[in-house]
């Protein structure tokens, strides 16, 4: 017998057992027992799983499981005539509606998801952090937390049950605490770059607001510079009317609330009055005698009125 003949016999498709393939009623009864009434549909396929083992597939009519199929596996012992039930299960088909792939909580978390009382543990090998000080007497990775709390961090539902113990006198942690350097870990260079990219994406030079701004934040009086290496590229906006108030902004960012974008003009000074209305002007009814005009004789009294 050649090797090709051996491989062809080994890889041949098994022929479904006749008695197992005919046990459609047995398979349907098992599926209806496991499912809700009216959910099991038509018989769609029979697939041989091995010698005297086949699986019957039935349509699932449940609207929540579109494209799924009830799979009932039956088997028959050697030289036996009775077909027995193996298992019943609901399996997805080729066009089944499936739930999204499960993602760990650390990858599902998004900014703004944390609420009061939530605890977000950081991994020991977090690339965003690096040791703030070194010391062999501290638990790895140079963290002030106890070893018991470090084990809780590995679980998804970690809870902070006890406060970290104070550092021992004479240890590096105690010296760091006295010098004001009690941070066991600080931002690494990678952590700084990640934060800078995130801030620049939200309030950077490429945003539509910055493209339409009259000037950048580097010359704005409302910019509060940051400390450390980030002060060379970022600051905090302190303009209550600006769109980035209270946010970290890039020095190349800008908005219409720039302190030097426009200067409010002074109110115009009113023009002086043409006529002085604060005083009473006297207008004589008769011209003065030295004015050179012809005097007007007063009217003589009328005789009819009896005047002398």
């Amino acid at each position: 017998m050649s090797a090709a003949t051996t491989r062809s016999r080994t890889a041949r498709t098994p022929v479904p057992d006749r008695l197992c393939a005919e046990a459609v009623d047995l398979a349907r009864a098992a599926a209806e027992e496991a499912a809700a009434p009216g959910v099991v549909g038509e018989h769609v396929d029979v697939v041989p799983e091995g010698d005297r083992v086949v699986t019957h597939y039935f349509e699932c009519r449940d609207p929540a499981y579109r494209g799924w199929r009830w799979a009932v596996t039956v088997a028959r012992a050697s030289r036996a005539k009775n077909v027995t039930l193996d298992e019943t299960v609901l399996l997805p088909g080729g066009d089944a509606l499936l739930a999204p792939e499960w993602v760990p909580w650390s990858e599902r978390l998004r900014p703004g998801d944390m609420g009061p009382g939530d605890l977000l543990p950081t991994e020991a090998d977090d690339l965003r952090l690096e040791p703030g000080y070194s010391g062999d007497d501290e638990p790895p990775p140079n963290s002030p937390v106890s070893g018991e709390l470090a084990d809780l961090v590995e679980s998804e539902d970690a809870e902070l049950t006890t406060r970290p113990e104070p550092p021992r006198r004479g240890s590096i942690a105690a010296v760091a605490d006295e010098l004001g350097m009690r941070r066991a870990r600080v931002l690494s260079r990678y952590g700084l770059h990640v934060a800078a990219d995130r801030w620049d994406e939200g309030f950077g030079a490429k945003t539509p607001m910055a493209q339409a701004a009259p000037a950048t934040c580097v010359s704005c009086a409302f910019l509060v510079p940051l400390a450390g290496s980030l002060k060379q590229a970022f600051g905090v906006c302190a303009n209550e009317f600006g769109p980035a108030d209270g946010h970290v902004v890039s020095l190349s960012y800008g908005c219409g609330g720039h302190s030097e974008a426009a200067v409010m003009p002074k109110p115009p000074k009113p023009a002086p009055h043409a006529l002085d209305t604060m005083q009473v002007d006297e207008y004589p009814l008769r011209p003065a005698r030295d004015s050179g005009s012809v005097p007007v004789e007063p009217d003589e009294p009328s005789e009819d009125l009896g005047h002398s």
Side-chain angles (χ1 to χ4, degrees), residues 228-255:
S229 60
L230 291 177
K231 67 180 298 183
Q232 303 176 5
F234 295 96
V236 178
C237 178
N239 188 352
E240 60 177 327
F241 300 107
D245 180 39
H247 293 275
V248 179
V249 296
S250 172
L251 298 184
S252 57
Y253 180 73
C255 68

Side-chain angles (χ1 to χ4, degrees), residues 65-69 91-99:
Y65 290 88
R66 186 185 62 190
W68 289 61
R69 300 181 301 177
L91 297 178
D95 57 345
L97 182 63
L98 302 177

Side-chain angles (χ1 to χ4, degrees), residues 128-167:
R128 300 171 301 172
L129 305 176
E130 62 184 7
Y133 56 87
S134 60
D136 297 336
D137 54 348
E138 298 298 323
N142 303 318
S143 174
V145 301
S146 61
E148 181 180 353
L149 183 58
D151 296 337
L152 290 176
V153 173
E154 299 296 333
S155 62
E156 181 172 348
D157 299 328
E159 296 181 359
L160 184 61
T161 55
T162 58
R163 292 183 176 272
E165 298 179 359

Side-chain angles (χ1 to χ4, degrees), residues 55-109:
T55 299
H56 295 271
Y57 289 93
F58 298 89
E59 179 186 4
C60 180
R61 295 179 178 176
D62 193 336
Y65 290 88
R66 186 185 62 190
W68 289 61
R69 300 181 301 177
W70 287 100
V72 182
T73 303
V74 296
R76 182 176 64 89
S78 178
R79 297 182 181 180
K81 295 183 179 181
N82 295 330
V83 178
T84 58
L85 179 65
D86 193 354
E87 65 175 354
T88 303
V89 65
L90 183 62
L91 297 178
D95 57 345
L97 182 63
L98 302 177
E101 185 179 357
W102 182 83
V103 180
W105 68 267
S106 57
E107 300 179 14
R108 298 195 308 266
L109 194 64

Side-chain angles (χ1 to χ4, degrees), residues 195-215:
D197 292 341
R198 187 173 60 253
W199 296 339
D200 188 72
E201 182 179 357
F203 298 97
K206 297 181 180 180
T207 58
M209 182 66 70
Q211 296 291 334

Side-chain angles (χ1 to χ4, degrees), residues 13-14 28 44 46 71 118 151 156 205 212 267:
T13 303
R28 176 179 292 276
V44 294
V46 54
D118 294 340
D151 296 337
E156 181 172 348

